[in-house]
Amino acid sequence: MLTHFIGGGPLAAGKSFPVHDPVTGAVVRHVHEADPEVADRAVRAAREAARDWAALPVGERAGWMRRLAEGIERRFDDLVAAEIADTGKPLEQTRTLDIPRGIANFRAFAEIAAQRPDDAFHLAGVLSYTVHRPLGVVAVIVPWNLPFLLMTWKLAPALVSGNTVVVKPSEHTPGSAAVFAEICAETGLPPGVVNIIFGYGSAGRLLVEHPGVDAVTFTGSTPTGTAIMRTVAERVKPISFELGGKNAGLVFEDCDLDRAVEGTARSVFTNGGQVCLCTERLYVQRSIFEEFCGRLAQSAREVEPQPMISAEHRDKVLSFYALARSEGAKVLTGGGVPVFNDHRDSGYFVEPTVVAGLSEWSRFNREEIFGPVCHVAPFDSEAEAIDLANGSDYGLAATLWTTNLDRAHRVAQRLEAGLVWVNTWYLRDLRTPFGGVKLSGIGREGGARSLDFYSEPTTITIKLEQSDA
Ligand code: 6OD
């Protein structure tokens, strides 16, 4: 049974709930569920630790971040196993992306924070400068699609900036967070600096509502983001949200077709399409439309299906497959449930799917699906492609496939998205601003932007006497 981690140690309290293996549907573990008392204890523990942690010089906190990175390296195999048990991710992806990004997150923010300059401004006889103070206790609410990657992406800058945290992982994916709690204890991190409570959305709500929580960072769905925003409005708590996406891919006739097909397939099907950055709307120049669609559909058939996180999410994705048909789509490939004739047949799989022929105003093309599926439509001109890509309520990421350098810059700069990848997808430099526009979020994390969110400047202005008389 997984227990909460509060004040540096385990706390076994609250009812329990099961976690299912998405590959087979079997129960893999039971977990304690936080009630109001548990959430309150976690916030109190974080508050008790806050003053001493904030008082440490940033270089010392950066040292702790490096030690946490080493702790992750020591427990690498345990983290891989925990992440796979909860998500059914492929071993290769977990070993090369999810867990290594945890290490990279702690190392990157140790460097970025240690080198962060403060501002200084001079006017005649006046010196103003800033010092950065932590926000206090940060609630870190983590989704199930990239559990360890996204937890550490938020934890590292929050901690190195001098905050203490209470983390609430998704009810589907508590495993890697529980191993991380052990790593905090093994590393000797001061008690209360990191606290982790488990539970459903209701446990997250307890944190968001708690008067002892000073800020909230959240990655997840837009409706949940909206609900959090309403709740924190009362106390004007700072928020950083990375929310849903309905990301567009633009494929121009001057692209390198092999690269474009391979990269687009990755951008649609990675993690079973369960990455907020995945492409769900694809626009292809008419002259290469038929060939591109044929090759993308072939790639979809060659992809190893990955499970959806839960039976409920599988049913949601399948309901969109049914919706596509009822809205009159042409299904180019997929659209159903794969049959393996082995233990996976009781899991939460759906077929990688490509559809065409729907209106831009169809629900299928407007709502986030979060599965291994995209809709393909042709375009005739650059201007039309840009309008199609921008015609969404969301604006997280876009991909652009062209070998024309001028077009690459011209189009990229006109796309309404927080992130634009040209001839690649999900290539990360952790120093860059990361986040979305429109319904895809508010605020930016990444590099110095994360430190800006997790701290607040105080401006100090001194009037200097002009004479020594
Ligand atoms: O790679 C990252 O830093 C990041 N924030 C990824 C978010 C993916 C959302 O599903």
Side-chain angles (χ1 to χ4, degrees):
M1 173 89 78
L2 293 190
T3 58
H4 313 292
F5 179 71
I6 296 180
L11 178 75
K15 294 185 300 197
S16 77
F17 64 92
V19 175
H20 295 264
D21 174 0
V23 175
T24 62
V27 172
V28 280
R29 48 174 122 254
H30 286 90
V31 187
H32 280 286
E33 180 184 355
D35 57 18
E37 196 191 322
V38 168
D40 185 57
R41 282 176 74 164
V43 175
R44 283 175 193 279
R47 291 216 78 82
E48 271 163 34
R51 184 185 296 224
D52 287 351
W53 182 250
L56 285 182
V58 66
E60 279 190 38
R61 290 196 300 265
W64 280 110
M65 299 304 106
R66 293 189 195 98
R67 287 193 280 284
L68 287 172
E70 286 159 16
I72 295 171
E73 280 172 335
R74 275 194 300 276
R75 299 289 303 274
F76 193 90
D77 290 342
D78 296 333
L79 287 162
V80 168
E83 196 85 327
I84 290 177
D86 289 350
T87 62
K89 285 174 193 279
L91 179 65
E92 171 71 7
Q93 179 195 313
T94 316
R95 292 190 68 85
T96 56
L97 172 67
D98 296 81
I99 309 306
R101 259 298 295 279
I103 299 166
N105 287 336
F106 280 110
R107 295 226 161 102
F109 283 107
E111 297 314 312
I112 293 165
Q115 291 167 17
R116 181 191 208 185
D118 281 321
D119 295 319
F121 306 88
H122 298 262
L123 273 181
V126 181
L127 168 66
S128 298
Y129 66 95
T130 57
V131 289
H132 288 94
R133 299 175 196 282
L135 302 172
V137 174
V138 179
V140 177
I141 303 183
V142 186
W144 45 258
N145 61 334
L146 300 169
F148 194 66
L149 185 159
L150 285 172
M151 178 181 74
T152 52
W153 170 245
K154 293 169 179 301
L155 272 185
L159 293 174
V160 81
S161 299
N163 303 283
T164 57
V165 300
V166 183
V167 183
K168 208 294 281 178
S170 162
E171 66 274 20
H172 298 298
T173 53
S176 55
V179 177
F180 183 71
E182 292 170 10
I183 292 170
C184 292
E186 289 158 11
T187 311
L189 192 71
V193 169
V194 171
N195 307 276
I196 301 176
I197 65 169
F198 296 113
Y200 295 90
S202 50
R205 195 170 325 118
L206 291 170
L207 293 181
V208 170
E209 286 170 350
H210 199 294
V213 164
D214 299 296
V216 179
T217 176
F218 168 72
T219 296
S221 74
T222 300
T224 306
T226 310
I228 294 176
M229 218 165 169
R230 280 205 191 93
T231 307
V232 300
E234 196 77 14
R235 297 183 71 90
V236 203
K237 295 180 188 180
I239 46 168
S240 175
F241 287 172
E242 194 198 317
L243 305 176
K246 190 72 187 173
N247 307 306
L250 298 183
V251 185
F252 287 90
E253 62 189 5
D254 56 23
C255 71
D256 173 332
L257 200 58
D258 290 345
R259 259 178 99 181
V261 171
E262 184 276 328
T264 300
R266 249 179 353 102
S267 81
V268 176
F269 303 121
T270 294
N271 214 43
Q274 300 167 111
V275 180
C276 54
L277 310 161
C278 280
T279 304
E280 292 196 3
R281 294 179 299 133
L282 192 61
Y283 303 103
V284 182
Q285 200 152 11
R286 198 175 298 277
S287 56
I288 58 166
F289 184 73
E290 290 304 327
E291 182 180 2
F292 189 90
C293 288
R295 291 184 61 176
L296 185 66
Q298 181 56 32
S299 301
R301 287 189 279 276
E302 288 164 7
V303 163
E304 190 61 44
Q306 289 186 38
M308 302 297 93
I309 193 67
S310 63
E312 187 191 12
H313 188 54
R314 176 206 47 205
D315 293 346
K316 175 189 160 182
V317 175
L318 289 177
S319 78
F320 273 94
Y321 289 4
L323 178 71
R325 286 196 179 88
S326 72
E327 287 185 318
K330 182 171 172 199
V331 179
L332 304 185
T333 190
V337 174
V339 177
F340 300 102
N341 291 318
D342 61 25
H343 61 288
R344 290 172 291 176
D345 287 338
S346 53
Y348 309 141
F349 290 87
V350 298
E351 282 179 332
T353 294
V354 181
V355 305
L358 291 176
S359 134
E360 287 304 300
W361 291 100
S362 60
R363 258 189 68 210
F364 191 93
N365 269 329
R366 302 212 66 82
E367 295 183 16
E368 182 178 50
I369 302 171
F370 222 59
V373 56
C374 73
H375 178 268
V376 202
F379 68 83
D380 291 300
S381 69
E382 192 177 294
E384 185 192 2
I386 293 168
D387 283 347
L388 287 166
N390 289 343
S392 168
D393 295 331
Y394 293 97
L396 184 56
T399 48
L400 176 52
W401 301 91
T402 176
T403 53
N404 179 325
L405 188 61
D406 291 330
R407 166 174 280 158
H409 288 288
R410 198 167 54 229
V411 175
Q413 290 176 23
R414 291 185 56 197
L415 291 177
E416 294 167 4
L419 306 151
V420 179
W421 279 292
V422 181
N423 295 329
T424 187
W425 175 74
Y426 199 10
L427 183 61
R428 295 282 286 113
D429 178 332
L430 304 187
R431 297 167 300 178
T432 56
F434 192 101
V437 303
K438 303 194 242 182
L439 289 186
S440 289
I442 186 163
R444 290 291 180 278
E445 297 194 28
R449 304 300 177 103
S450 292
L451 304 185
D452 286 346
F453 173 69
Y454 292 108
S455 65
E456 279 178 327
T458 298
T459 300
I460 300 169
T461 299
I462 305 181
K463 174 93 172 69
L464 306 170
E465 279 307 323
Q466 294 304 300
S467 82
D468 59 2

